[in-house]
Amino acid sequence: MACWWKCSWDKGGVKIPFVNDNCIGCGACVAICDGVFNMDDEWKAFVVEWIDLSNVDCIDDAIWACPVSAIQYKN
Ligand code: F3S
């Protein structure tokens, strides 16, 4: 099941992450959680518009794996 982040707030209250400027492009978040994170042309991670809601538990794993603490949850 995929859902754009705006509707995910309305369907189950899934917390949505974002990637801050600390990202050094190590790629761990994409390897761990490719239904949520992807890499842009400058090799920086970003959160995809259509998140795979069936596998959001991996977001926490990606946060732990990021070596520069570049992933945070939106308030
Ligand atoms: Fe960047 Fe951290 Fe992902 S460095 S590529 S946000 S694991």
Side-chain angles (χ1 to χ4, degrees):
M1 175 181 176
C3 184
W4 194 49
W5 68 267
K6 278 188 176 175
C7 77
S8 69
W9 285 109
D10 299 327
K11 296 180 179 177
V14 173
K15 290 195 294 183
I16 304 302
F18 71 98
V19 179
N20 66 36
D21 291 341
N22 291 342
C23 177
I24 56 172
C26 85
C29 56
V30 179
I32 292 168
C33 197
D34 66 352
V36 175
F37 299 96
N38 204 341
M39 304 300 286
D40 67 15
D41 292 342
E42 298 178 344
W43 211 243
K44 301 282 187 181
F46 66 94
V47 175
V48 300
E49 287 189 355
W50 291 86
I51 287 176
D52 179 1
L53 289 178
S54 67
N55 192 22
V56 292
D57 290 346
C58 65
I59 296 172
D60 284 339
D61 296 335
I63 289 172
W64 276 103
C66 180
V68 291
S69 301
I71 306 168
Q72 299 169 268
Y73 282 117
K74 296 182 181 187
N75 290 326

CSV table of all heavy atoms in Angstrom, one decimal, residues 18-20 22-30 32 37-39 43-46 62-63 65-71, ligand 1:
chain,number,residue,atom,x,y,z
A,18,PHE,N,12.2,13.3,7.3
A,18,PHE,CA,12.9,14.1,6.3
A,18,PHE,C,14.4,13.9,6.5
A,18,PHE,O,14.8,13.5,7.5
A,18,PHE,CB,12.4,15.5,6.3
A,18,PHE,CG,12.9,16.3,7.5
A,18,PHE,CD1,14.0,17.1,7.3
A,18,PHE,CD2,12.3,16.3,8.7
A,18,PHE,CE1,14.5,17.9,8.4
A,18,PHE,CE2,12.8,17.0,9.8
A,18,PHE,CZ,13.9,17.8,9.7
A,19,VAL,N,15.1,14.3,5.4
A,19,VAL,CA,16.5,14.2,5.4
A,19,VAL,C,17.1,15.6,5.5
A,19,VAL,O,16.7,16.4,4.6
A,19,VAL,CB,17.0,13.5,4.2
A,19,VAL,CG1,18.6,13.4,4.1
A,19,VAL,CG2,16.4,12.1,4.1
A,20,ASN,N,17.9,15.9,6.4
A,20,ASN,CA,18.5,17.2,6.6
A,20,ASN,C,19.8,17.4,5.8
A,20,ASN,O,20.2,16.5,5.1
A,20,ASN,CB,18.6,17.6,8.1
A,20,ASN,CG,19.6,16.8,8.8
A,20,ASN,OD1,20.7,16.4,8.2
A,20,ASN,ND2,19.4,16.5,10.1
A,22,ASN,N,22.7,17.4,6.6
A,22,ASN,CA,23.9,16.6,7.0
A,22,ASN,C,24.2,15.4,6.1
A,22,ASN,O,25.3,14.9,6.2
A,22,ASN,CB,23.7,16.1,8.4
A,22,ASN,CG,23.7,17.2,9.5
A,22,ASN,OD1,24.2,18.3,9.3
A,22,ASN,ND2,23.2,16.9,10.7
A,23,CYS,N,23.3,15.1,5.3
A,23,CYS,CA,23.4,13.8,4.5
A,23,CYS,C,24.7,13.9,3.6
A,23,CYS,O,25.0,14.9,2.9
A,23,CYS,CB,22.2,13.7,3.5
A,23,CYS,SG,22.4,12.3,2.4
A,24,ILE,N,25.5,12.8,3.7
A,24,ILE,CA,26.7,12.7,3.0
A,24,ILE,C,26.6,11.7,1.9
A,24,ILE,O,27.6,11.3,1.2
A,24,ILE,CB,27.9,12.4,3.9
A,24,ILE,CG1,27.7,11.1,4.7
A,24,ILE,CG2,28.3,13.5,4.8
A,24,ILE,CD1,28.9,10.5,5.4
A,25,GLY,N,25.4,11.2,1.7
A,25,GLY,CA,25.1,10.2,0.6
A,25,GLY,C,25.7,8.8,0.8
A,25,GLY,O,26.0,8.2,-0.2
A,26,CYS,N,25.7,8.4,2.0
A,26,CYS,CA,26.3,7.0,2.2
A,26,CYS,C,25.3,5.9,1.7
A,26,CYS,O,25.8,4.8,1.4
A,26,CYS,CB,26.6,6.8,3.7
A,26,CYS,SG,25.2,6.2,4.7
A,27,GLY,N,24.1,6.2,1.6
A,27,GLY,CA,23.1,5.3,1.0
A,27,GLY,C,22.6,4.2,1.9
A,27,GLY,O,21.8,3.4,1.5
A,28,ALA,N,22.9,4.3,3.2
A,28,ALA,CA,22.4,3.2,4.1
A,28,ALA,C,20.9,3.3,4.2
A,28,ALA,O,20.2,2.2,4.2
A,28,ALA,CB,23.0,3.4,5.5
A,29,CYS,N,20.3,4.5,4.2
A,29,CYS,CA,18.9,4.6,4.4
A,29,CYS,C,18.1,3.9,3.2
A,29,CYS,O,17.1,3.3,3.4
A,29,CYS,CB,18.5,6.0,4.6
A,29,CYS,SG,19.0,7.1,3.2
A,30,VAL,N,18.7,4.1,2.0
A,30,VAL,CA,18.0,3.5,0.8
A,30,VAL,C,18.2,2.0,0.9
A,30,VAL,O,17.3,1.2,0.5
A,30,VAL,CB,18.6,4.1,-0.5
A,30,VAL,CG1,18.0,3.5,-1.7
A,30,VAL,CG2,18.4,5.6,-0.5
A,32,ILE,N,18.4,0.1,3.4
A,32,ILE,CA,17.6,-0.5,4.5
A,32,ILE,C,16.1,-0.3,4.3
A,32,ILE,O,15.3,-1.1,4.6
A,32,ILE,CB,18.0,0.2,5.9
A,32,ILE,CG1,19.4,-0.2,6.2
A,32,ILE,CG2,17.0,-0.1,7.0
A,32,ILE,CD1,20.0,0.6,7.4
A,37,PHE,N,13.0,5.9,1.2
A,37,PHE,CA,14.1,6.8,0.9
A,37,PHE,C,14.6,6.5,-0.5
A,37,PHE,O,14.6,5.4,-1.0
A,37,PHE,CB,15.3,6.7,1.9
A,37,PHE,CG,14.9,7.0,3.3
A,37,PHE,CD1,14.6,6.0,4.2
A,37,PHE,CD2,14.9,8.3,3.7
A,37,PHE,CE1,14.2,6.3,5.5
A,37,PHE,CE2,14.6,8.6,5.0
A,37,PHE,CZ,14.2,7.6,5.9
A,38,ASN,N,15.1,7.6,-1.2
A,38,ASN,CA,15.8,7.4,-2.5
A,38,ASN,C,16.9,8.4,-2.6
A,38,ASN,O,17.0,9.3,-1.7
A,38,ASN,CB,14.7,7.6,-3.6
A,38,ASN,CG,15.1,6.9,-4.9
A,38,ASN,OD1,16.3,6.6,-5.1
A,38,ASN,ND2,14.2,6.7,-5.8
A,39,MET,N,17.7,8.3,-3.6
A,39,MET,CA,18.8,9.2,-3.8
A,39,MET,C,18.5,10.2,-5.0
A,39,MET,O,18.0,9.8,-6.0
A,39,MET,CB,20.1,8.5,-4.1
A,39,MET,CG,20.5,7.4,-3.0
A,39,MET,SD,20.8,8.1,-1.4
A,39,MET,CE,22.3,8.9,-1.6
A,43,TRP,N,23.3,12.8,-5.3
A,43,TRP,CA,23.6,11.7,-4.3
A,43,TRP,C,23.3,12.1,-2.9
A,43,TRP,O,24.1,11.8,-2.0
A,43,TRP,CB,25.1,11.2,-4.5
A,43,TRP,CG,25.2,9.8,-4.2
A,43,TRP,CD1,26.0,9.2,-3.2
A,43,TRP,CD2,24.6,8.7,-4.9
A,43,TRP,NE1,25.8,7.8,-3.2
A,43,TRP,CE2,25.0,7.5,-4.2
A,43,TRP,CE3,23.6,8.6,-5.9
A,43,TRP,CZ2,24.5,6.2,-4.6
A,43,TRP,CZ3,23.2,7.3,-6.3
A,43,TRP,CH2,23.6,6.2,-5.7
A,44,LYS,N,22.2,12.8,-2.7
A,44,LYS,CA,21.7,13.1,-1.4
A,44,LYS,C,20.4,12.3,-1.3
A,44,LYS,O,19.6,12.2,-2.2
A,44,LYS,CB,21.4,14.6,-1.2
A,44,LYS,CG,22.6,15.4,-1.4
A,44,LYS,CD,23.5,15.4,-0.2
A,44,LYS,CE,24.7,16.4,-0.3
A,44,LYS,NZ,25.6,16.4,0.8
A,45,ALA,N,20.1,11.8,-0.1
A,45,ALA,CA,18.8,11.1,0.2
A,45,ALA,C,17.7,12.0,0.3
A,45,ALA,O,17.8,13.2,0.7
A,45,ALA,CB,19.0,10.3,1.4
A,46,PHE,N,16.5,11.5,-0.1
A,46,PHE,CA,15.3,12.3,0.1
A,46,PHE,C,14.1,11.3,0.4
A,46,PHE,O,14.3,10.1,0.1
A,46,PHE,CB,14.9,13.1,-1.1
A,46,PHE,CG,14.6,12.4,-2.4
A,46,PHE,CD1,13.2,12.1,-2.7
A,46,PHE,CD2,15.6,12.0,-3.2
A,46,PHE,CE1,12.9,11.4,-3.9
A,46,PHE,CE2,15.3,11.2,-4.4
A,46,PHE,CZ,14.0,11.0,-4.7
A,62,ALA,N,16.7,3.0,9.6
A,62,ALA,CA,17.5,3.9,8.8
A,62,ALA,C,18.0,5.1,9.6
A,62,ALA,O,19.1,5.5,9.4
A,62,ALA,CB,16.6,4.4,7.6
A,63,ILE,N,17.2,5.6,10.5
A,63,ILE,CA,17.6,6.7,11.4
A,63,ILE,C,18.8,6.2,12.2
A,63,ILE,O,19.8,6.9,12.3
A,63,ILE,CB,16.5,7.1,12.3
A,63,ILE,CG1,15.4,7.9,11.5
A,63,ILE,CG2,17.0,8.0,13.5
A,63,ILE,CD1,14.1,8.2,12.3
A,65,ALA,N,20.9,3.8,11.5
A,65,ALA,CA,22.0,3.5,10.6
A,65,ALA,C,22.7,4.7,10.0
A,65,ALA,O,23.9,4.6,9.7
A,65,ALA,CB,21.5,2.6,9.4
A,66,CYS,N,22.1,5.8,9.9
A,66,CYS,CA,22.7,7.0,9.3
A,66,CYS,C,23.9,7.5,10.1
A,66,CYS,O,23.7,7.8,11.3
A,66,CYS,CB,21.7,8.1,9.1
A,66,CYS,SG,22.4,9.6,8.4
A,67,PRO,N,25.1,7.5,9.5
A,67,PRO,CA,26.3,7.9,10.3
A,67,PRO,C,26.4,9.4,10.7
A,67,PRO,O,27.2,9.7,11.5
A,67,PRO,CB,27.4,7.5,9.3
A,67,PRO,CG,26.8,7.7,8.0
A,67,PRO,CD,25.4,7.2,8.1
A,68,VAL,N,25.5,10.2,10.1
A,68,VAL,CA,25.6,11.6,10.4
A,68,VAL,C,24.3,12.2,10.9
A,68,VAL,O,24.1,13.4,10.9
A,68,VAL,CB,26.1,12.4,9.1
A,68,VAL,CG1,27.5,12.1,8.8
A,68,VAL,CG2,25.2,12.1,8.0
A,69,SER,N,23.4,11.3,11.4
A,69,SER,CA,22.1,11.8,12.0
A,69,SER,C,21.4,12.7,11.0
A,69,SER,O,20.9,13.8,11.5
A,69,SER,CB,22.4,12.4,13.3
A,69,SER,OG,23.0,11.5,14.2
A,70,ALA,N,21.3,12.3,9.8
A,70,ALA,CA,20.7,13.2,8.8
A,70,ALA,C,19.2,13.0,8.7
A,70,ALA,O,18.5,13.8,8.0
A,70,ALA,CB,21.3,13.1,7.4
A,71,ILE,N,18.6,12.0,9.3
A,71,ILE,CA,17.2,11.6,9.2
A,71,ILE,C,16.5,12.0,10.5
A,71,ILE,O,16.9,11.5,11.6
A,71,ILE,CB,17.0,10.2,8.8
A,71,ILE,CG1,17.8,9.8,7.6
A,71,ILE,CG2,15.5,9.9,8.6
A,71,ILE,CD1,17.9,8.3,7.3
B,1,F3S,FE1,22.4,10.3,3.7
B,1,F3S,FE2,22.3,9.2,6.1
B,1,F3S,FE3,20.9,8.2,4.1
B,1,F3S,S1,24.1,10.0,5.1
B,1,F3S,S2,22.1,8.7,2.3
B,1,F3S,S3,20.6,10.2,5.0
B,1,F3S,S4,21.9,7.0,5.7
